[in-house]
Amino acid sequence: MYLVVGLGNPGEEYAHTRHNAGFDAVDRLAEEVGARYWKSEGGALTAKGSWRGHDVVLAKPQSYMNTSGGPVKTLLKTYGVQPDHLIVIHDELDIDPGTIRVKFGGGHAGHNGLRSICDKLQTRDWFRIRCGIGRPPGRMPVVDWVLSRPKREAEEDFAQACDQASQAALLLMEHGLEKTQQQFN
């Protein structure tokens, strides 16, 4: 079984913002794994599906980005999933818009959602699918950038990264890290 967590913030005001790339990617993934019914569980919205012989639980924590670790820890325990079968999809400032990167382990690079998960799980050994959103233009504060919705051509890049992230999660579950990195990194 895999737990695939998309990071984001709940509420309509945050829908489809750069910081909610994880939510958008998980929504796309739900179609692929046949997850149609979402319910509130363990501080997250969850849905179940399957992919090529793997049971999959999708999750969108509802505790806001900075406290995502609590719901992730609860769901891992609830489903008996080990951290090496956890896939977290999140936005990444240091990757160009429209691209993704996949890795196992690592730090949080100042991302508060990742920091919360690292702190709660007491390990950094889980999969990350990082959706590139790029850096804000000029002197725009980072918080304003990540909490804004992409416009025009940036919207296409954002959608492409979310689509690629969902495809990377499928490939990761089926063929592992090396093959996934060969295709997407």
Side-chain angles (χ1 to χ4, degrees):
M1 177 178 280
Y2 281 89
L3 174 62
V4 183
V5 177
L7 296 185
N9 287 313
E12 192 56 40
E13 69 269 31
Y14 299 111
H16 311 297
T17 61
R18 290 175 175 88
H19 217 25
N20 276 31
F23 278 15
D24 285 6
V26 164
D27 285 341
R28 287 164 169 81
L29 189 56
E31 296 173 31
E32 298 288 341
V33 301
R36 288 171 179 62
Y37 173 73
W38 291 87
K39 67 178 184 174
S40 183
E41 172 182 42
L45 290 177
T46 64
K48 295 176 189 168
S50 63
W51 181 254
R52 309 278 163 91
H54 297 287
D55 290 329
V56 181
V57 176
L58 304 177
K60 298 186 286 187
Q62 299 296 291
S63 61
Y64 291 93
M65 181 70 76
N66 297 353
T67 56
S68 298
V72 172
K73 182 177 181 180
T74 298
L75 292 171
L76 286 173
K77 185 176 180 182
T78 298
Y79 287 99
V81 175
Q82 295 302 308
D84 66 349
H85 275 69
L86 168 64
I87 301 170
V88 176
I89 304 174
H90 63 90
D91 61 305
E92 178 65 56
L93 288 164
D94 294 323
I95 297 175
D96 291 336
T99 60
I100 68 162
R101 296 290 179 265
V102 182
K103 70 178 190 172
F104 184 82
H108 54 71
H111 192 291
N112 289 327
L114 299 180
R115 176 182 285 125
S116 176
I117 295 170
C118 288
D119 290 348
K120 289 293 184 182
L121 300 186
Q122 294 294 294
T123 183
R124 296 174 178 210
D125 294 336
W126 31 274
F127 294 101
R128 296 109 187 275
I129 299 176
R130 306 176 299 157
C131 296
I133 61 168
R135 289 268 169 193
R139 295 181 180 208
M140 177 186 247
V142 169
V143 68
D144 293 342
W145 177 251
V146 300
L147 294 179
S148 68
R149 290 180 178 94
K151 307 263 190 285
R152 294 183 223 60
E153 67 277 350
E155 190 173 20
E156 290 176 24
D157 288 341
F158 183 75
Q160 178 178 315
C162 293
D163 287 339
Q164 287 182 1
S166 69
Q167 294 305 306
L170 297 172
L171 193 61
L172 191 55
M173 288 185 283
E174 187 175 0
H175 294 293
L177 182 61
E178 186 177 337
K179 193 166 200 166
T180 305
Q181 286 178 324
Q182 287 171 357
Q183 183 163 335
F184 291 102
N185 285 13

